Amino acid sequence: MQNQQIAKHPDKVHGPVLGIETSCDETGVAVFDSGCVDPERGLLAHRLYSQIAMHADYGGVVPELASRDHVRKLTPLIRQTLADAGLAMRDLRGVAYTAGPGLVGALLVGASAARALAWSLDIPAIGVHHMEGHLLAPLLEPDPPQPPFVALLVSGGHSMLVEVAAIGRYRLLGDTLDDAAGEAFDKTAKMMGLPYPGGPALAKLAESGSSGRFKFSRPMTDRPGLDFSFSGLKTQVMLAYRAHADDPAAKADVARAFEEAIVDTLVIKCRRALEATGSERLVIAGGVGANRRLRAQLADVAQREGFRVYFPRLEFCTDNGAMIALAGALRLQAGLHDGPEIKVTPRWDLETLPAIA
Ligand code: KG4
Ligand code: ZN
């Protein structure tokens, strides 16, 4: 079942919109003022509470603990964020919340809070697609990208190349056949005994590794197409790592070679996607977008090949409330909103979203 965004409310929302993100292990809250023409200045306040320390003991996200912690943290975070923005509850004109994809229990916490608030304030609310939030995050930066563009969305759950004809009009160009890029980082890091979340830990270790000692394949770059597959890479890394278990320097060198393989693969596919669509603008978003090697390499290729690449600031690559407030505000501003029921969509196809006219 898809969320239906019905334009039955005649009002187009102009003014402060509260954004709530609770799809996984971060509680994010923000206020975005859709009355502000310039998205960069529309962000009035944002706060994040990360549950990483709580899940670290288990080596990954424990869904039930995540839901309970969102319950504990969300209300105080909303109060604090509104205070930061210098606003009272009654100043809000709309509420946006992540309705999917994500962990069902965690999503329900944000959706219930958002729906209750909207009901009590008699304002519209809208369920936002988490990946649309990521995709639009670069719009919060100075000199934001204008559609059409190509977006590489690389997070813990997704690796997608998307053609963005307009905000809300998305065509999937490529997807992962197995592990997402972030998932490959996390699983490989875990196998190498690094702490959760593995992506940043592995990237840090890779900085001290030397290039060239190990070489892993660039999966699916030897054939046409824009899909990804990262699960085989994990096995290659495991074999190399185990074969050099008695060499302390090998760990960083393996991490370096793994990161290079992932980054090269992503860069090759981005260039292909730009070529296939004739686009000259590339947007990078999602947690893996915080990877420094990926950012540096793409900036370098963009300069050499004459396209532009746009990144969100590091804190808006990973999950946050600002991207949800922005995505929701753009939809509410266009007159879209959802019915009053509390509904989440843990699996949700980005291509089915209604365009923002
Ligand atoms: O977008 P995000 O915060 O959550 C999801 O929607 O999944 O992405 C989290 C993912 C995790 O897999 C994490 O390990 C990865 O992004 N990540 C990184 C880096 N920072 C976060 N991967 C590689 N290098 C990083 N610097
Ligand atoms: Zn995310």
Side-chain angles (χ1 to χ4, degrees), residues 130 134 155-157 182-183 185-186 197-200 203 286-288 290-291 317-319:
H130 181 79
H134 275 304
S155 69
E183 194 178 0
F185 266 98
D186 294 341
V288 181
N291 184 275
C317 283
T318 42
D319 291 349

Side-chain angles (χ1 to χ4, degrees), residues 7 12-13 52 109 185 191 200 211 226 241 265 278:
K12 297 186 173 186
V13 171
I52 281 175
V109 178
F185 266 98
M191 185 267 298
S211 183
L226 294 166
Y241 178 65
T265 306

Side-chain angles (χ1 to χ4, degrees), residues 161 173-175 219-228 268-270 272-273:
L161 275 161
L173 301 168
D175 203 350
M220 296 186 66
T221 55
D222 57 350
R223 66 200 87 165
L226 294 166
D227 286 333
F228 303 98
I268 291 168
K269 298 281 168 147
C270 284
R272 270 190 203 172

Side-chain angles (χ1 to χ4, degrees), residues 23-166:
S23 67
C24 190
D25 58 350
E26 327 267 3
T27 319
V29 177
V31 181
F32 184 87
D33 187 350
S34 65
C36 215
V37 239
D38 180 356
E40 189 202 339
R41 283 186 301 150
L43 186 62
L44 303 183
H46 64 97
R47 280 192 181 238
L48 186 82
Y49 176 80
S50 173
Q51 305 178 351
I52 281 175
M54 181 180 75
H55 297 293
D57 290 347
Y58 303 91
V61 179
V62 184
E64 183 57 24
L65 294 183
S67 312
R68 291 176 190 208
D69 209 45
H70 286 307
V71 171
R72 270 192 294 272
K73 298 297 180 339
L74 185 56
T75 308
L77 212 57
I78 292 173
R79 289 192 205 289
Q80 288 160 353
T81 310
L82 282 171
D84 292 348
L87 298 175
M89 290 279 187
R90 65 176 177 280
D91 297 322
L92 293 174
R93 293 290 169 268
V95 186
Y97 56 94
T98 306
L103 302 170
V104 66
L107 290 167
L108 277 168
V109 178
S112 311
R115 277 280 147 220
L117 254 179
W119 181 265
S120 65
L121 295 167
D122 195 20
I123 55 177
I126 191 153
V128 171
H129 192 295
H130 181 79
M131 297 314 290
E132 180 176 58
H134 275 304
L135 193 152
L136 298 179
L139 268 62
L140 293 163
E141 305 304 335
D143 190 17
Q146 296 298 324
F149 55 75
V150 167
L152 172 72
L153 303 181
V154 269
S155 69
H158 295 87
S159 299
M160 302 192 283
L161 275 161
V162 180
E163 184 178 23
V164 180

